[in-house]
PDB file of all heavy atoms in Angstrom:
ATOM      1  N   VAL A 342    -156.271  11.706-111.726  1.00 98.00           N
ATOM      2  CA  VAL A 342    -154.979  12.198-112.237  1.00 98.00           C
ATOM      3  C   VAL A 342    -154.435  11.247-113.299  1.00 98.00           C
ATOM      4  O   VAL A 342    -154.041  11.668-114.388  1.00 98.00           O
ATOM      5  CB  VAL A 342    -153.967  12.352-111.077  1.00 98.00           C
ATOM      6  CG1 VAL A 342    -152.601  12.774-111.610  1.00 98.00           C
ATOM      7  CG2 VAL A 342    -154.480  13.356-110.046  1.00 98.00           C
ATOM      8  N   ARG A 343    -154.459   9.949-113.007  1.00 98.00           N
ATOM      9  CA  ARG A 343    -153.873   8.989-113.951  1.00 98.00           C
ATOM     10  C   ARG A 343    -154.669   8.944-115.260  1.00 98.00           C
ATOM     11  O   ARG A 343    -154.135   8.685-116.330  1.00 98.00           O
ATOM     12  CB  ARG A 343    -153.802   7.582-113.331  1.00 98.00           C
ATOM     13  CG  ARG A 343    -152.709   6.742-113.962  1.00 98.00           C
ATOM     14  CD  ARG A 343    -152.666   5.319-113.431  1.00 98.00           C
ATOM     15  NE  ARG A 343    -152.566   5.155-112.011  1.00 98.00           N
ATOM     16  CZ  ARG A 343    -151.446   5.312-111.308  1.00 98.00           C
ATOM     17  NH1 ARG A 343    -150.335   5.657-111.912  1.00 98.00           N
ATOM     18  NH2 ARG A 343    -151.450   5.126-109.998  1.00 98.00           N
ATOM     19  N   GLY A 344    -155.950   9.228-115.147  1.00 97.00           N
ATOM     20  CA  GLY A 344    -156.807   9.185-116.333  1.00 97.00           C
ATOM     21  C   GLY A 344    -156.701  10.431-117.206  1.00 97.00           C
ATOM     22  O   GLY A 344    -157.462  10.584-118.157  1.00 97.00           O
ATOM     23  N   GLY A 345    -155.782  11.326-116.852  1.00 97.00           N
ATOM     24  CA  GLY A 345    -155.585  12.508-117.682  1.00 97.00           C
ATOM     25  C   GLY A 345    -156.458  13.685-117.289  1.00 97.00           C
ATOM     26  O   GLY A 345    -156.554  14.679-118.034  1.00 97.00           O
ATOM     27  N   GLY A 346    -157.065  13.590-116.115  1.00 98.00           N
ATOM     28  CA  GLY A 346    -157.961  14.668-115.681  1.00 98.00           C
ATOM     29  C   GLY A 346    -157.246  15.890-115.136  1.00 98.00           C
ATOM     30  O   GLY A 346    -157.883  16.870-114.751  1.00 98.00           O
ATOM     31  N   GLY A 347    -155.901  15.821-115.047  1.00 98.00           N
ATOM     32  CA  GLY A 347    -155.161  16.963-114.503  1.00 98.00           C
ATOM     33  C   GLY A 347    -154.977  16.832-113.005  1.00 98.00           C
ATOM     34  O   GLY A 347    -155.271  15.784-112.417  1.00 98.00           O
ATOM     35  N   PRO A 348    -154.476  17.871-112.374  1.00 98.00           N
ATOM     36  CA  PRO A 348    -154.139  17.791-110.952  1.00 98.00           C
ATOM     37  C   PRO A 348    -155.381  17.664-110.069  1.00 98.00           C
ATOM     38  O   PRO A 348    -156.492  18.010-110.487  1.00 98.00           O
ATOM     39  CB  PRO A 348    -153.432  19.126-110.689  1.00 98.00           C
ATOM     40  CG  PRO A 348    -153.957  20.046-111.740  1.00 98.00           C
ATOM     41  CD  PRO A 348    -154.206  19.199-112.946  1.00 98.00           C
ATOM     42  N   PHE A 349    -155.136  17.183-108.848  1.00 99.00           N
ATOM     43  CA  PHE A 349    -156.234  17.034-107.886  1.00 99.00           C
ATOM     44  C   PHE A 349    -155.710  17.447-106.523  1.00 99.00           C
ATOM     45  O   PHE A 349    -154.552  17.179-106.177  1.00 99.00           O
ATOM     46  CB  PHE A 349    -156.704  15.570-107.850  1.00 99.00           C
ATOM     47  CG  PHE A 349    -158.066  15.389-107.219  1.00 99.00           C
ATOM     48  CD1 PHE A 349    -159.209  15.339-108.017  1.00 99.00           C
ATOM     49  CD2 PHE A 349    -158.205  15.295-105.842  1.00 99.00           C
ATOM     50  CE1 PHE A 349    -160.464  15.201-107.437  1.00 99.00           C
ATOM     51  CE2 PHE A 349    -159.455  15.157-105.254  1.00 99.00           C
ATOM     52  CZ  PHE A 349    -160.590  15.097-106.063  1.00 99.00           C
ATOM     53  N   PHE A 350    -156.574  18.072-105.748  1.00 99.00           N
ATOM     54  CA  PHE A 350    -156.236  18.482-104.384  1.00 99.00           C
ATOM     55  C   PHE A 350    -157.137  17.716-103.420  1.00 99.00           C
ATOM     56  O   PHE A 350    -158.363  17.804-103.509  1.00 99.00           O
ATOM     57  CB  PHE A 350    -156.467  19.997-104.230  1.00 99.00           C
ATOM     58  CG  PHE A 350    -156.295  20.501-102.830  1.00 99.00           C
ATOM     59  CD1 PHE A 350    -155.062  20.964-102.383  1.00 99.00           C
ATOM     60  CD2 PHE A 350    -157.366  20.517-101.936  1.00 99.00           C
ATOM     61  CE1 PHE A 350    -154.910  21.439-101.079  1.00 99.00           C
ATOM     62  CE2 PHE A 350    -157.219  20.993-100.640  1.00 99.00           C
ATOM     63  CZ  PHE A 350    -155.987  21.452-100.208  1.00 99.00           C
ATOM     64  N   LEU A 351    -156.515  16.969-102.516  1.00 99.00           N
ATOM     65  CA  LEU A 351    -157.293  16.213-101.529  1.00 99.00           C
ATOM     66  C   LEU A 351    -156.940  16.700-100.130  1.00 99.00           C
ATOM     67  O   LEU A 351    -155.790  16.570 -99.690  1.00 99.00           O
ATOM     68  CB  LEU A 351    -156.990  14.710-101.655  1.00 99.00           C
ATOM     69  CG  LEU A 351    -157.764  13.792-100.702  1.00 99.00           C
ATOM     70  CD1 LEU A 351    -159.272  13.850-100.970  1.00 99.00           C
ATOM     71  CD2 LEU A 351    -157.262  12.348-100.819  1.00 99.00           C
ATOM     72  N   GLU A 352    -157.924  17.247 -99.451  1.00 99.00           N
ATOM     73  CA  GLU A 352    -157.723  17.652 -98.049  1.00 99.00           C
ATOM     74  C   GLU A 352    -158.099  16.482 -97.146  1.00 99.00           C
ATOM     75  O   GLU A 352    -159.199  15.930 -97.261  1.00 99.00           O
ATOM     76  CB  GLU A 352    -158.621  18.853 -97.692  1.00 99.00           C
ATOM     77  CG  GLU A 352    -158.491  19.247 -96.220  1.00 99.00           C
ATOM     78  CD  GLU A 352    -159.649  20.118 -95.698  1.00 99.00           C
ATOM     79  OE1 GLU A 352    -160.745  20.123 -96.301  1.00 99.00           O
ATOM     80  OE2 GLU A 352    -159.445  20.769 -94.665  1.00 99.00           O
ATOM     81  N   CYS A 353    -157.183  16.109 -96.249  1.00 99.00           N
ATOM     82  CA  CYS A 353    -157.478  15.071 -95.255  1.00 99.00           C
ATOM     83  C   CYS A 353    -157.557  15.760 -93.898  1.00 99.00           C
ATOM     84  O   CYS A 353    -156.535  16.277 -93.411  1.00 99.00           O
ATOM     85  CB  CYS A 353    -156.389  14.004 -95.266  1.00 99.00           C
ATOM     86  SG  CYS A 353    -156.220  13.186 -96.865  1.00 99.00           S
ATOM     87  N   ARG A 354    -158.722  15.780 -93.309  1.00 98.00           N
ATOM     88  CA  ARG A 354    -158.905  16.463 -92.025  1.00 98.00           C
ATOM     89  C   ARG A 354    -158.460  15.531 -90.904  1.00 98.00           C
ATOM     90  O   ARG A 354    -159.065  14.494 -90.657  1.00 98.00           O
ATOM     91  CB  ARG A 354    -160.363  16.886 -91.855  1.00 98.00           C
ATOM     92  CG  ARG A 354    -160.788  17.980 -92.845  1.00 98.00           C
ATOM     93  CD  ARG A 354    -162.190  18.477 -92.554  1.00 98.00           C
ATOM     94  NE  ARG A 354    -163.152  17.381 -92.455  1.00 98.00           N
ATOM     95  CZ  ARG A 354    -163.763  16.822 -93.483  1.00 98.00           C
ATOM     96  NH1 ARG A 354    -163.526  17.243 -94.706  1.00 98.00           N
ATOM     97  NH2 ARG A 354    -164.621  15.828 -93.291  1.00 98.00           N
ATOM     98  N   THR A 355    -157.379  15.915 -90.255  1.00 98.00           N
ATOM     99  CA  THR A 355    -156.759  15.014 -89.292  1.00 98.00           C
ATOM    100  C   THR A 355    -156.283  15.795 -88.071  1.00 98.00           C
ATOM    101  O   THR A 355    -156.634  16.978 -87.909  1.00 98.00           O
ATOM    102  CB  THR A 355    -155.616  14.232 -90.005  1.00 98.00           C
ATOM    103  OG1 THR A 355    -155.053  13.300 -89.110  1.00 98.00           O
ATOM    104  CG2 THR A 355    -154.529  15.159 -90.531  1.00 98.00           C
ATOM    105  N   TYR A 356    -155.496  15.155 -87.227  1.00 98.00           N
ATOM    106  CA  TYR A 356    -155.046  15.807 -85.994  1.00 98.00           C
ATOM    107  C   TYR A 356    -153.812  15.078 -85.490  1.00 98.00           C
ATOM    108  O   TYR A 356    -153.761  13.853 -85.527  1.00 98.00           O
ATOM    109  CB  TYR A 356    -156.152  15.714 -84.942  1.00 98.00           C
ATOM    110  CG  TYR A 356    -156.039  16.737 -83.833  1.00 98.00           C
ATOM    111  CD1 TYR A 356    -156.453  18.045 -84.029  1.00 98.00           C
ATOM    112  CD2 TYR A 356    -155.529  16.382 -82.592  1.00 98.00           C
ATOM    113  CE1 TYR A 356    -156.356  18.983 -83.017  1.00 98.00           C
ATOM    114  CE2 TYR A 356    -155.432  17.310 -81.569  1.00 98.00           C
ATOM    115  CZ  TYR A 356    -155.846  18.613 -81.786  1.00 98.00           C
ATOM    116  OH  TYR A 356    -155.753  19.545 -80.783  1.00 98.00           O
TER     117      TYR A 356
END
Side-chain angles (χ1 to χ4, degrees):
V342 176
R343 205 183 306 283
F349 197 95
F350 174 91
L351 181 63
E352 177 198 21
C353 300
R354 293 186 308 276
T355 183
Y356 201 79

